[in-house]
Structure formats: C-alpha cells, structure tokens
Amino acid sequence: MLDEDVKTQARSHTKCASCPVRHRAVCARANSDELTLLDSVKFYKTYQAGQTIALRGDPLEVLSSVVSGTATLSQSMEDGRTQIVGLLLPSDFIGRPGRDTVAHDVTAVTEVTLCCFRRKPFENLLVNMPHVQVRLLEMTLDDLDAARDWMLLLGRKTAREKIASFLLLIAHRSVANAEKTLANEVRIELPLSRETMATYLGLTIETVSRQFTALRKDGLISLDGTRSVFVPDVAALAAEVGDGE
Amino acid sequence: MLDEDVKTQARSHTKCASCPVRHRAVCARANSDELTLLDSVKFYKTYQAGQTIALRGDPLEVLSSVVSGTATLSQSMEDGRTQIVGLLLPSDFIGRPGRDTVAHDVTAVTEVTLCCFRRKPFENLLVNMPHVQVRLLEMTLDDLDAARDWMLLLGRKTAREKIASFLLLIAHRSVANAEKTLANEVRIELPLSRETMATYLGLTIETVSRQFTALRKDGLISLDGTRSVFVPDVAALAAEVGDGE
DNA sequence: CGGCTGCTTGACCGTCATCAATAAATGTGG
DNA sequence: CCACATTTATTGATGACGGTCAAGCAGCCG
C-alpha cells in the first residue's frame, strides 16, 4: 500500500457502533467481544480520487473494508489493455488473509475511506473471531458469484446489454442500504466515468458513449449532465439485459 | 442433483488414504480426526459424459470434490447464449456451504467421479474441522483469483490469445499433479470439445477451429487427432498470451 | 476568456459471428 | 470388417458489431 499523499485526517478513528457499514462489512456478525478486538487494531485511511491504493505484486500488509467511496480492482496486460475485475463499494473487503502479495491493482475512483487492519495481527485475531471468519468466507463466496455473473456479461452480452446490466447493478447496489427492492423509476448517480465504465464492461469509451445515446433516444433513460441517469421504467430497462442478473 | 442414471458402482467407497486428490482437495490439510469424520459421511458418485450434475436454482443438497474427470460450471441466458464460468478438474470443490440453492449449472464433460457430502451434516461437521474450513476459504479465494483472471481474458484478449491462454492453462493444470513447472515441450490432452472450449472462451466453435489451424500453420502447435495437442516450444506459445497468466 | 479534461459524434475498418458446405471422426448394424 | 449414419470439426463467404482514428462539443477551473 502507498502511504504518500494520504490526508492527515485520514487516520482518525471512528467508533464501530456508528460505522455506516457496521452491519454489512466483514464485521457484520461480530459480537461485542470480537468488535472490541477489531476496534483496538483498526485505523482509517482516506485516498483521493484517482490515487493508487495498491499494485499487483506489492507486499500485502494491510487488509481493509471500504467505508465510503468507490474503488476498482483491475488487471492489466503489458500493452496496457486493462480489465476491471471488481467494483469496491462501501462494505466490500480488500485483501486476502493468507496471501503475502497483492493480487490485483486497487484504485480509488472517488474519494475513498478504508477501515484498515495490519494483515498479520488481523490473521492472528481471526482464530478468535469465528463470526468474522464465517462472514469472510460468505463475502468471498458472494464475490465469486459476482465475478462469475460478470464473466457471462463479458463473454456473451452485447454492448447494449452490458450497459443496461451495469445501470441496473448500480441501481441495486445503491439502494442496498435501505430495502432490496427497486421502484418503477429510479435516479442513478454513476460513480464511474465513461472511461472507467468501459474498462469495467470490456468496451471502449466510444461504444459506452454511443450506447448511452442509443438508450436515451429509445426513451429508456434520460441524462442530467453526464453522471446522473434517470430510468423512467426499470422493467423496460431490465428487458434489455437478456437475463441472468 | 439428479439421481437417475447413476451407475450402481457409483456409490462405492474408497479409503481417503488412497484418494488421488487427498492432498489437494478440501481435505488437504485435514488431520486424522478430521479425516475420520469426513470418511464416515462421504460417498462416491459417478456421472457419464454429458450428464447434468446440477441445475441453477435446484436445492443444494450435496457438496462434493471432483475425484476424477472434468466438469463445467456454466451460466446461461434465456436465448441460449451460454458462458462457462469455471472448469472443474480433480480436487476442485463443488457447492457452497451456507447457501441452499445451486448458483450455476454443473455438467459432466467426461465421466466424472465425485466425493460427496450431504450439505447439512457437512456444515455441522465443519465447525469441528478448522483445517477444512481454512482450506475451503483458501480454495474459494483461489477460485476468485482464477475467475478474475478469466475476466481479463473474456473482456480484453483476442481469439488467438484466448486459445493460447487456454492451452497453457490446461498444460499447467494437468502437470499440477507432479511438479509445478512446465518442460520446454508439452503434449496436452484436451478434456474439452471445440464447442465446450468456445463456450469457455467466449467464442464460437468456428473461431476456435480457425485459431487452432492458424497456430498449427505458424508452427506453434501440432495436432494428433482433434484432442491431442503437441507444443514444441512452450515459451513461444506463452508469448502469444499477451500477459497475465 | 482560454485551456483543459471528459464526452459525444462521425467515418472507416478489422475481428469475430453467422450461415453454409464439406470433411473427418465416431458409432451402428449387417 | 465394411457400408452407412451421426456427430464433431474444418473451411469458406459474407456481414455486423464494436474498435480505431479523428474531429467537434460541453463542462470546469484558473
């Protein structure tokens, strides 16, 4: 992990009890004893939009949960072709106990605040935190399912279907806070630029842009600026997905 | 899971001690106590090539390890487009403790023998098998890394790169038994048909076939029949991958 | 107001999918 | 073991989808 350029306020602590991701993150099922353990070793860290949080191959010294903001996991080829292999939204876990190097590049796309644990102490504590251990397995399995869903998107879906899938994914994840169900119409605030979306969807920026225009002309979405999307008929957009999600 | 058409010899037991995947599967780190527990509840089951092992949405009653043969995990859209999201080779684990329905279709591509555990008893035993629990998390994390590597392949690689990546993947996995390193030249026995490869690589069968002939004409591989590939210069083939694998 | 960055639109082209016709491999019954 | 049928693989012709290159446009900040 990179330490430079970290804001000074970054290392402020916050009580777990008032943590916005307390009930969704790796600590979701922790009992009070476990929470006390975690609380004693955690520290916050904030990254600015665009900053690199970790690079593949780096020594893996810190594990963390996303508290706020959006980050990406990505994988690159030598010639620069890049694929985002995971979106990291609040409550997502970064890093892998039992491994000593970083497997994928991690980048902040908005300002990101992480709740961090040094890896070794965390691994040692883990044996005394069975609920955390179980939650970690559960979250990893969820990530695996999500990755496999994305493989269908990358391998088989058309550009239009990819965009529709992405919009609905963001819609779902942003209401996940409250209820799990979506209204008939939704306003979505995109956390990603066109370029980042393209990298996530296995497309180019031009194709992403064209598909947004096409969906707008077809009345399936309307745009307010470039980051705010209004979906007047969620079911109609969902019909563009093909299936699966 | 489907019970019909299962061979009668299928439920024969085999001692764990003589199991070919004893040191790589979910039981790899099990101590003798844990192994005794597993041994008491496990049963073998064999599926013929082409048989469906489980379908998405089915109640998830059985977890298992692949003992021999090859199976696929796949995800389909309503119109029939299908993406294979995981190859299941000997030692791989099938199913997910803590979930009650099957997440992906599982299909035998060769004759497959599974070492099965009923889910509920297995989950109950799991709390008394810490080494199995840890191994399961480790294997899940490995699967996640593999899935993410595949996302790069599906999203960004050319057809030629995909085929080269696939050949090397199979080469690596088939020598994983012995040492982890590859010789200068390798003979690969493909466990998959052209069609199944296409479904795995996000291509069509025609494109797969064309790329095989292209690689053959370029002297990077030679074919003996349709399933046996000889790679005279592994490094040369690896140079076709672009990166990553 | 200019300059920057990010987005959109257009013209063109390449890779891979589609459709279609062999060819090779595999299986079956006489 | 060979004729025949069926499945699987290869090869060809053609076209569409999305990539590439390039120009214009919009929002943002000094």
Side-chain angles (χ1 to χ4, degrees):
Chain A
M1 299 243 179
L2 303 178
D3 269 4
E4 328 90 54
D5 301 327
V6 172
K7 291 167 79 179
T8 49
Q9 92 217 43
R11 284 168 180 279
S12 67
H13 282 239
T14 300
K15 274 286 162 213
C16 289
S18 62
C19 176
V21 297
R22 164 73 179 86
H23 299 288
R24 293 186 290 145
V26 75
C27 50
R29 305 242 189 72
N31 59 27
S32 57
D33 287 350
E34 292 170 325
L35 214 56
T36 306
L37 277 178
L38 285 175
D39 212 347
S40 67
V41 299
K42 77 167 202 287
F43 57 94
Y44 273 36
K45 212 160 162 182
T46 297
Y47 294 86
Q48 296 308 303
Q51 269 194 302
T52 298
I53 297 174
L55 283 177
R56 174 157 67 137
D58 283 353
L60 174 51
E61 283 161 6
V62 175
L63 309 176
S64 57
S65 293
V66 178
V67 175
S68 67
T70 304
T72 59
L73 273 182
S74 65
Q75 182 114 342
S76 295
M77 298 170 63
E78 280 160 356
D79 62 7
R81 280 176 285 172
T82 300
Q83 177 66 49
I84 290 176
V85 297
L87 260 197
L88 297 167
L89 299 179
S91 83
D92 283 332
F93 191 76
I94 304 177
R96 157 170 181 169
R99 160 161 297 194
D100 58 3
T101 58
V102 172
H104 305 279
D105 301 335
V106 186
T107 311
V109 297
T110 64
E111 178 175 293
V112 170
T113 298
L114 303 180
C115 175
C116 304
F117 314 95
R118 302 218 161 271
R119 182 166 68 89
K120 284 294 179 193
F122 183 86
E123 287 172 357
N124 294 335
L125 287 181
L126 206 49
V127 298
N128 298 319
M129 303 188 294
H131 297 96
V132 175
Q133 210 170 340
V134 168
R135 177 70 183 140
L136 191 57
L137 176 59
E138 184 179 56
M139 289 177 72
T140 304
L141 285 160
D142 284 343
D143 285 350
L144 183 55
D145 285 349
R148 286 173 168 165
D149 286 350
W150 215 247
M151 286 171 66
L152 176 66
L153 177 143
L154 291 174
R156 295 299 176 191
K157 290 191 180 178
T158 65
R160 185 183 179 94
E161 289 168 339
K162 286 178 176 182
I163 299 289
S165 300
F166 172 74
L167 290 175
L168 291 171
L169 172 75
I170 298 297
H172 274 107
R173 290 223 41 170
S174 50
V175 300
N177 304 330
E179 304 140 31
K180 299 261 170 161
T181 177
L182 233 48
N184 291 335
E185 52 176 56
V186 180
R187 173 159 298 282
I188 305 171
E189 300 304 321
L190 299 177
L192 306 184
S193 67
R194 296 288 185 271
E195 164 134 51
T196 311
M197 280 186 257
T199 309
Y200 191 31
L201 296 171
L203 296 171
T204 60
I205 183 173
E206 295 94 332
T207 300
V208 171
S209 188
R210 276 188 249 272
Q211 294 302 329
F212 268 95
T213 310
L215 290 174
R216 186 166 49 71
K217 285 186 177 159
D218 293 347
L220 289 165
I221 61 174
S222 58
L223 295 172
D224 178 16
T226 177
R227 293 290 190 107
S228 181
V229 180
F230 179 71
V231 184
D233 183 351
V234 171
L237 187 60
E240 298 291 331
V241 167
D243 175 30
E245 307 296 311
Chain B
M1 298 243 179
L2 302 176
D3 269 5
E4 326 89 53
D5 302 327
V6 173
K7 292 168 80 179
T8 50
Q9 93 219 40
R11 285 169 179 278
S12 66
H13 283 239
T14 301
K15 274 286 164 213
C16 290
S18 62
C19 176
V21 297
R22 163 74 179 88
H23 298 288
R24 293 185 292 142
V26 74
C27 49
R29 304 244 188 70
N31 60 29
S32 59
D33 286 349
E34 292 170 325
L35 213 56
T36 307
L37 277 178
L38 286 175
D39 212 345
S40 67
V41 298
K42 78 167 203 286
F43 57 96
Y44 272 39
K45 212 159 160 180
T46 296
Y47 293 86
Q48 297 308 303
Q51 268 193 303
T52 297
I53 297 174
L55 283 177
R56 174 157 68 136
D58 283 354
L60 175 51
E61 283 160 6
V62 175
L63 309 176
S64 56
S65 292
V66 178
V67 175
S68 68
T70 303
T72 59
L73 272 182
S74 64
Q75 182 114 342
S76 295
M77 298 169 61
E78 281 159 355
D79 62 7
R81 279 177 286 172
T82 300
Q83 177 65 50
I84 290 176
V85 297
L87 259 198
L88 297 166
L89 299 179
S91 82
D92 284 331
F93 191 76
I94 304 177
R96 158 171 180 167
R99 161 163 296 194
D100 57 3
T101 59
V102 172
H104 305 279
D105 301 335
V106 186
T107 311
V109 297
T110 64
E111 178 173 293
V112 170
T113 298
L114 303 181
C115 175
C116 303
F117 315 93
R118 303 218 161 270
R119 183 166 66 89
K120 285 293 179 193
F122 183 85
E123 287 172 359
N124 294 335
L125 287 181
L126 205 50
V127 297
N128 299 319
M129 303 188 295
H131 296 97
V132 175
Q133 209 170 338
V134 168
R135 176 72 184 137
L136 191 57
L137 176 59
E138 184 180 56
M139 290 177 72
T140 304
L141 285 161
D142 285 343
D143 285 350
L144 184 54
D145 285 348
R148 287 174 167 163
D149 286 350
W150 215 247
M151 286 171 67
L152 176 66
L153 177 143
L154 291 174
R156 297 298 176 190
K157 290 191 180 177
T158 65
R160 185 182 179 95
E161 289 168 340
K162 286 178 175 182
I163 299 289
S165 300
F166 173 75
L167 290 175
L168 290 170
L169 172 76
I170 298 297
H172 274 109
R173 290 225 40 169
S174 51
V175 299
N177 304 330
E179 305 141 31
K180 299 260 169 162
T181 178
L182 234 48
N184 291 335
E185 51 176 57
V186 181
R187 174 159 298 282
I188 305 172
E189 300 303 320
L190 299 177
L192 306 183
S193 67
R194 296 288 185 270
E195 164 134 49
T196 311
M197 280 186 258
T199 309
Y200 190 31
L201 296 170
L203 297 171
T204 59
I205 182 172
E206 294 95 331
T207 299
V208 171
S209 189
R210 275 187 251 272
Q211 294 301 329
F212 267 95
T213 46
L215 290 174
R216 185 167 47 72
K217 284 183 177 161
D218 293 347
L220 289 165
I221 62 174
S222 59
L223 296 171
D224 179 15
T226 177
R227 294 289 191 109
S228 182
V229 180
F230 178 71
V231 183
D233 183 350
V234 171
L237 187 61
E240 298 292 331
V241 166
D243 174 31
E245 308 295 314

